[in-house]
Amino acid sequence: MTTTEQDLGKLYKENLSFWEQAWQRVSKPHKELPKLPYIHELTRKLKKYQVKKVLDLGCGSGWLSIFMSKYHFDVTGIDTAKPAVELGKTWAKEDNVNVNLLVSDLLNLPFEEKSFDAVVCNSVLEHFRFDQAKTIIDKVHKILSDKGFFFGCFDAVGTGKGEYFELNDGTHVYTDQMRKGMMLRNYTDQELKDLLSNFDILSFDKNNYGSRLVWARKK
Ligand SMILES: C[S@@+](CC[C@H](N)C(=O)[O-])C[C@H]1O[C@@H](n2cnc3c(N)ncnc32)[C@H](O)[C@@H]1O
């Protein structure tokens, strides 16, 4: 099947509505932190390098943004789903945390060059085609300060149950009722390295769940 630019645009919009609707079903912030040991290591490392301003890409309801704000980083979280951002704002208010949460599409990041010292991204770029993820990472490179850091957790996904069709670059587009419209792609190690070709990769690890944890620094 040939997929035209128009088809790709439509599929992308359906993916965005999938997220909007998924978050609409969540009625209150889920405040329990995910069991991800890396988050403690991450804050330690960023403190060591005197990082101050952090951008959390695809922050969802904001657990990572709020967690990092509690460690006194100046954090901006950004997500396309308004209900997710609203949940995050409620959470921040309830916990008296100062964090900047915004609704925006990662493909149009509304920031000036060199605005952040670090960008973090947990389980998000799996929901973009490769060319889109590359566009986002290239923009991330611009908005990072000199020698700024990128940390990404990329899950092993797209191999489980569900009905989907596949785009040319291997991205799955789900058609079953539960995940209708959601795009999901599993990156090879090489694709992740290609994505970050403008960065020095400082570490590249796999955890027990098969997620790749990539820590990189702007060249
Ligand atoms: C699997 S969730 C991860 C959320 C959060 N980072 C976490 O660790 O819980 C993926 C997130 O990406 C967001 N997202 C998907 N496409 C997006 C886009 N184009 N721009 C901004 N956020 C997007 C979704 O709304 C969702 O909150």
Side-chain angles (χ1 to χ4, degrees):
M1 183 182 87
T2 331
T3 319
T4 62
E5 282 298 316
Q6 208 180 6
D7 294 334
L8 290 176
K10 186 163 171 271
L11 293 173
Y12 183 60
K13 281 197 184 137
E14 286 171 5
N15 173 60
L16 295 184
S17 357
F18 162 82
W19 286 108
E20 188 77 15
Q21 286 168 28
W23 280 112
Q24 258 163 19
R25 292 193 288 273
V26 184
S27 57
K28 55 177 191 207
H30 175 74
K31 293 193 183 180
E32 196 183 329
L33 283 181
K35 291 186 179 44
L36 295 170
Y38 81 73
I39 57 182
H40 303 284
E41 179 65 14
L42 180 65
T43 48
R44 258 197 305 275
K45 275 185 178 154
L46 294 180
K47 283 279 174 211
K48 183 175 140 196
Y49 287 101
Q50 295 176 350
V51 161
K52 291 192 171 52
K53 292 193 74 183
V54 178
L55 174 65
D56 179 12
L57 295 179
C59 61
S61 56
W63 71 266
L64 183 54
S65 297
I66 289 172
F67 172 78
M68 295 191 79
S69 298
K70 286 181 178 171
Y71 278 84
H72 307 294
F73 292 101
D74 173 358
V75 186
T76 298
I78 184 162
D79 201 285
T80 188
K82 190 161 181 248
V85 170
E86 291 303 324
L87 285 166
K89 286 184 176 171
T90 304
W91 181 351
K93 200 168 169 198
E94 285 172 3
D95 287 20
N96 203 16
V97 172
N98 194 9
V99 60
N100 182 25
L101 299 175
L102 302 174
V103 178
S104 183
D105 189 328
L106 300 190
L107 284 171
N108 296 304
L109 286 172
F111 305 111
E112 311 260 304
E113 284 193 18
K114 303 188 182 181
S115 310
F116 294 96
D117 307 317
V119 172
V120 298
C121 184
N122 187 73
S123 309
V124 175
L125 294 177
E126 295 85 331
H127 301 289
F128 292 84
R129 303 190 313 263
F130 184 84
D131 64 304
Q132 295 176 312
K134 184 71 182 146
T135 302
I136 294 167
I137 291 291
D138 287 349
K139 180 73 193 258
V140 162
H141 189 269
K142 288 202 173 76
I143 64 180
L144 274 173
S145 52
D146 293 338
K147 297 280 176 194
F149 293 96
F150 172 81
F151 174 81
C153 173
F154 297 86
D155 295 329
V157 292
T159 49
K161 286 194 198 135
E163 292 158 23
Y164 56 81
F165 60 91
E166 205 169 303
L167 301 178
N168 286 342
D169 74 341
T171 305
H172 293 173
V173 180
Y174 281 82
T175 53
D176 57 81
Q177 209 174 348
M178 274 299 288
R179 291 186 282 186
K180 193 166 174 9
M182 185 178 78
M183 297 191 339
L184 198 56
R185 82 185 315 278
N186 199 9
Y187 291 86
T188 62
D189 289 354
Q190 189 55 51
E191 281 174 332
L192 291 180
K193 288 173 186 164
D194 291 345
L195 211 54
L196 291 159
S197 57
N198 290 335
F199 290 76
D200 287 318
I201 296 195
L202 304 177
S203 65
F204 192 104
D205 301 313
K206 198 179 262 195
N207 70 13
N208 294 342
Y209 302 102
S211 301
R212 267 78 44 87
L213 307 176
V214 188
W215 168 247
R217 195 167 197 187
K218 180 170 169 169
K219 274 184 192 167

